[in-house]
Amino acid sequence: MTTETPHANPKAEPVSNAVKDPDDWTTGGEKMTGAQASYLKTLSEEAGEPDAYSPDLTKAEASKTIDALQEKTGRGS
């Protein structure tokens, strides 16, 4: 069995599991972060969907909503 040794600078060469579905996050059910809340508020206003922002969103829900609004506003490209 061979084990892959992590790169000395993980950000320079991310491993294959670095991007996970928000539904699979262990902390996805926790309250969204302040950064998520701020960005989501801005995106929801830019997209003309102020109801997309709710202070009660979880980290996973906020991430999915941010992805959808980035797509709509073109900010994600």
Side-chain angles (χ1 to χ4, degrees):
M1 180 170 102
T2 53
T3 306
E4 199 172 306
T5 305
H7 191 278
N9 181 358
K11 290 185 179 182
E13 196 174 311
V15 292
S16 63
N17 70 347
V19 178
K20 289 185 179 180
D21 184 319
D23 290 329
D24 296 332
W25 295 352
T26 41
T27 60
E30 295 177 2
K31 186 175 179 177
M32 72 176 146
T33 66
Q36 282 179 309
S38 176
Y39 189 47
L40 183 53
K41 182 81 168 149
T42 299
L43 279 175
S44 66
E45 290 169 357
E46 283 183 11
E49 294 186 26
D51 292 340
Y53 173 81
S54 170
D56 300 322
L57 292 175
T58 65
K59 288 180 183 179
E61 291 167 337
S63 179
K64 291 179 201 177
T65 305
I66 287 169
D67 288 347
L69 291 174
Q70 282 181 324
E71 185 77 25
K72 183 173 183 177
T73 62
R75 273 189 171 235
S77 358

